[in-house]
Amino acid sequence: LGDVAAIAVCIALPMLVPIAAVAQALYPRDAPKQPGAPSWARERAALPPFTPPRTPEGTPNLQGRWTGPNGGDDIEEHDYVDVSSPPEETYISDPPGGKIPYQPWALAVQAQHRAGLARGWPGEKARLYTDPQTFCIYSVPRATYRGGFEIVQVPGYVMILYTFNHYYRFIPTDGRPHALAADVKLWMGNSRGSWQGNTLVVDVTNLNGRNWLDQVGNFFSEHAHVIERFTLADANTIDYEATIEDPKVFTRPWTIRVPLRRARPAGGDTYADEPWENACHEGNEATEHNRSLGFKWFKGAAVP
Amino acid sequence: MTRHSIRSAIVVIGVLLIFALAPDPGASQTPAAYTPPRTRDGHPDLQGVWQALNTAAWSVEDHPATLGVPAGHGVVDGGVIPYQPSALARRNEHFANRATLDPETKCYLPGVPRITYMPHPFRIVQQADRITILYEYLHAVRYVFMNGRPHPPGPIDWWMGDSRGRWEGNSLVVDVTHLSDRTWLDRAGNFHSEAVHVVERYTPAGPDHLLYEVTLEDPKVYTRPWKMTMPLYRRQGANNDLLEQEYDCYPELLEQEWEKPDSALFGRP
């Protein structure tokens, strides 16, 4: 009954949100495979060269609201799992084959995470952790490849305003270096941007490694370094890449690469184009529920 | 010390006080006297990282120092909030039980105007049809819509309310409604109801100062509208012009409380 209740809470919570949060789709067993990095590589290869429009400052204009792929419950390729997890292609463009290049100990830890989710999947063991995002936590790069944000460019800075729980990043692009001590660890990290050709490159350090990359426990540690690349592939698509380096966890750097699509203009309601409050932590009943079920608090993977 | 020298010392202190209290003729900090730079759109430029430097976060009224609480002058015009008698009793009950009742102890969004004078900086970004305020505290974001639309019809229970702005001379005037009765005004239990109507006024007072005035009207709680006034200061120094770090209150709090069986944090908000 507890697991049924947990699913009911997960389904019910978005319905309590007064404005259009992205609806949680329910997928049938024969749902088509959701596109990921391989589909995007094929689509991108067929696109003609694109010259992006410019802001008054002369930088490529990435402004607007952007949506991500539908899935992302598991960023590696997977078959149908359950009504909330349709089959999906991998989000990983490198290494070829689309698997995360974990070191052996880290692969074992990821398997523990997956086996402790208590989602009613084969091979599960005792409850261990719930995806930290359940508790209204976000992080880079997960926040970005999931989509659901607005980019605003002001002179010298790029602002990314995420819908989920009002997270934001205010990224200087004036060439200043990172200026935080290495032992300061942040959920969203410390971002420094630069324009390389038509691409916005964001260098992210000081990440705390305490969120997951998806719902099944893929992870990096507090030693990770992330490099994001935002390039307009056409007027309504950002080619988004996130390269993750973490020599304590992976055998080599690897890259997530997915398209972010321009959100369709909001229609109908007078206020439809206004971003309204998205308070997540306040009254989040999933927190109490998951705690009462015996899930532990994820404090980051213990790097050997 | 002789009686004479004491008297001399008092005179000296008195003279110093007169100098300290007199307006400094060299300062051009009065809002009327200062002409702020303009944005590309021609509006007064309020952009940058600002912070209140006072003790209003602990109490907006005069308060003595107690353990962990700095003493401070209040920011309420006239000194005290004009509570209705029943509301004053409730405020006092809040104060007595503030360790568990204050919504800040649960890391909830603090509402407006409380977020302005939390001891954390915030950034103002002006765009064509809205002003975005990014707060370090809880990575809260406020959109002040400048598109001329009225408040959406209520009732709406929002932690940070609905903010609609306009320019009056050099002042940004923000009209805030749809606030929740679950937020407080400070750590001393001062409060409002969901009927509160908040009007904020941000006026450039110099290159590095904003005058912040906020009026609260709430017929359920106060006997009349009342006002708070304080300066906001521009953050100075290398990298202090960024909100470089986050104050992510709730993950830290949840981790701290997760394994305490009797934690007061969990349960109904």
Side-chain angles (χ1 to χ4, degrees):
Chain A
L1 185 63
D3 292 343
V4 173
I7 290 168
V9 166
C10 289
I11 294 170
L13 275 177
M15 299 199 296
L16 298 176
V17 177
I19 27 164
V22 178
Q24 180 78 48
L26 297 181
Y27 296 93
R29 188 165 286 278
D30 60 351
K33 188 162 262 190
Q34 302 287 312
S39 285
W40 174 230
R42 286 191 297 275
E43 182 186 337
R44 196 176 63 243
L47 289 174
F50 180 70
T51 304
R54 304 263 158 183
T55 65
E57 283 68 47
T59 54
N61 190 341
L62 305 177
Q63 297 184 105
R65 294 176 203 281
W66 301 94
T67 63
N70 286 331
D73 289 354
D74 179 347
I75 58 173
E76 294 183 334
E77 182 177 23
H78 62 92
D79 294 330
Y80 178 89
V81 179
D82 55 31
V83 290
S84 69
S85 297
E88 277 187 289
E89 293 178 0
T90 183
Y91 283 20
I92 297 153
S93 62
D94 180 58
K99 302 290 279 184
I100 300 172
Y102 284 114
Q103 296 176 19
W105 75 269
L107 187 62
V109 166
Q110 200 283 328
Q112 286 173 4
H113 292 171
R114 190 185 291 264
L117 293 169
R119 286 181 69 167
W121 297 349
E124 281 182 346
K125 296 179 184 149
R127 292 187 179 110
L128 184 57
Y129 303 118
T130 311
D131 174 10
Q133 190 175 288
T134 309
F135 312 120
C136 308
I137 290 167
Y138 236 15
S139 59
V140 174
R142 183 177 184 180
T144 309
Y145 62 71
R146 290 290 295 183
F149 59 82
E150 180 180 359
I151 294 179
V152 175
Q153 291 166 241
V154 294
Y157 302 93
V158 173
M159 181 159 65
I160 306 182
L161 300 155
Y162 298 94
T163 301
F164 180 79
N165 202 22
H166 50 81
Y167 275 90
Y168 66 80
R169 296 160 75 190
F170 197 81
I171 305 167
T173 54
D174 57 3
R176 72 176 82 189
H178 291 283
L180 279 179
D183 61 354
V184 173
K185 300 298 183 185
L186 306 169
W187 295 93
M188 297 292 281
N190 185 250
S191 294
R192 291 288 184 266
S194 59
W195 294 96
Q196 297 179 9
N198 288 333
T199 299
L200 171 66
V201 181
V202 184
D203 190 278
V204 190
T205 59
N206 300 79
L207 288 157
N208 70 10
R210 302 178 75 163
N211 192 7
W212 288 351
L213 286 161
D214 55 23
Q215 288 188 24
V216 298
N218 284 307
F219 70 100
F220 53 73
S221 79
E222 62 175 0
H223 305 288
H225 172 215
V226 174
I227 300 163
E228 299 172 284
R229 289 183 174 81
F230 300 75
T231 312
L232 277 174
D234 62 31
N236 296 311
T237 311
I238 289 177
D239 177 18
Y240 176 72
E241 298 171 85
T243 298
I244 300 172
E245 301 174 358
D246 187 340
K248 305 270 189 187
V249 177
F250 309 115
T251 59
R252 50 165 284 186
W254 57 283
T255 300
I256 291 167
R257 190 166 189 177
V258 291
L260 303 170
R261 311 288 186 181
R262 191 179 295 278
R264 284 191 298 276
D269 187 277
T270 309
Y271 296 93
D273 63 344
E274 295 183 358
W276 281 2
E277 181 164 291
N278 186 297
C280 175
H281 163 66
E282 293 77 6
N284 180 5
E285 294 180 25
T287 306
E288 170 74 75
H289 186 73
N290 281 277
R291 178 174 170 270
S292 69
L293 288 174
F295 286 102
K296 296 189 188 316
W297 184 262
F298 181 65
K299 299 179 182 179
V303 174
Chain B
M1 194 182 270
T2 66
R3 179 171 294 185
H4 176 74
S5 61
I6 289 172
R7 190 177 296 155
S8 300
I10 289 171
V11 168
V12 168
I13 289 167
V15 168
L16 286 174
L17 271 176
I18 287 166
F19 273 107
L21 296 174
D24 176 2
S28 57
Q29 297 289 310
T30 52
Y34 178 67
T35 304
R38 302 270 154 178
T39 63
R40 205 156 45 200
D41 298 326
H43 297 299
D45 191 343
L46 311 186
Q47 298 181 106
V49 178
W50 305 95
Q51 189 168 342
L53 296 175
N54 57 34
T55 61
W58 286 271
S59 175
V60 297
E61 297 182 331
D62 285 354
H63 56 276
T66 51
L67 188 61
V69 178
H73 277 293
V75 292
V76 179
D77 288 12
V80 293
I81 299 172
Y83 281 113
Q84 297 172 18
S86 62
L88 183 60
R90 187 168 154 206
R91 191 282 305 269
N92 293 339
E93 194 182 320
H94 285 174
F95 181 80
N97 299 291
R98 61 194 183 282
T100 53
L101 290 185
D102 182 357
E104 188 194 347
T105 64
K106 295 184 168 65
C107 300
Y108 291 163
L109 286 165
V112 177
R114 188 177 186 181
I115 190 131
T116 308
Y117 45 80
M118 296 287 286
H120 298 265
F122 57 89
R123 171 181 284 279
I124 296 176
V125 181
Q126 291 172 233
Q127 300 163 248
D129 62 349
R130 76 176 193 222
I131 292 173
T132 300
I133 310 182
L134 309 172
Y135 298 90
E136 180 183 86
Y137 185 74
L138 283 180
H139 50 82
V141 174
R142 239 177 109 194
Y143 298 111
V144 178
F145 297 108
M146 306 291 286
N147 53 23
R149 291 178 196 151
H151 293 291
I156 306 174
D157 184 23
W158 273 328
W159 292 85
M160 298 293 286
D162 183 68
S163 297
R164 306 274 152 183
R166 63 182 187 275
W167 295 101
E168 286 185 6
N170 289 331
S171 298
L172 169 65
V173 181
V174 186
D175 194 284
V176 192
T177 61
H178 300 321
L179 284 155
S180 172
D181 63 354
R182 293 171 292 180
T183 54
W184 284 10
L185 294 173
D186 57 25
R187 294 171 182 163
N190 288 305
F191 74 104
H192 55 77
S193 80
E194 78 289 346
V196 72
H197 175 209
V198 173
V199 179
E200 300 172 286
R201 184 177 285 267
Y202 299 79
T203 307
D208 299 319
H209 298 84
L210 298 178
L211 178 68
Y212 180 71
E213 301 163 280
V214 57
T215 303
L216 290 86
E217 191 175 353
D218 187 340
K220 290 186 173 179
V221 177
Y222 316 124
T223 59
R224 58 177 172 79
W226 60 281
K227 186 178 161 192
M228 294 188 275
T229 306
M230 67 189 77
L232 301 172
Y233 301 84
R234 189 189 296 279
R235 294 261 295 226
Q236 308 277 349
N239 289 309
N240 278 329
D241 62 333
L242 293 177
L243 303 188
E244 197 73 330
Q245 299 195 39
E246 58 207 15
Y247 187 79
D248 247 3
C249 178
Y250 53 91
E252 312 296 332
L253 180 68
L254 289 172
E255 178 175 328
Q256 175 189 291
E257 298 295 306
W258 196 259
E259 290 177 14
K260 294 180 185 170
D262 303 321
S263 171
L265 179 64
F266 298 100
R268 291 281 161 194

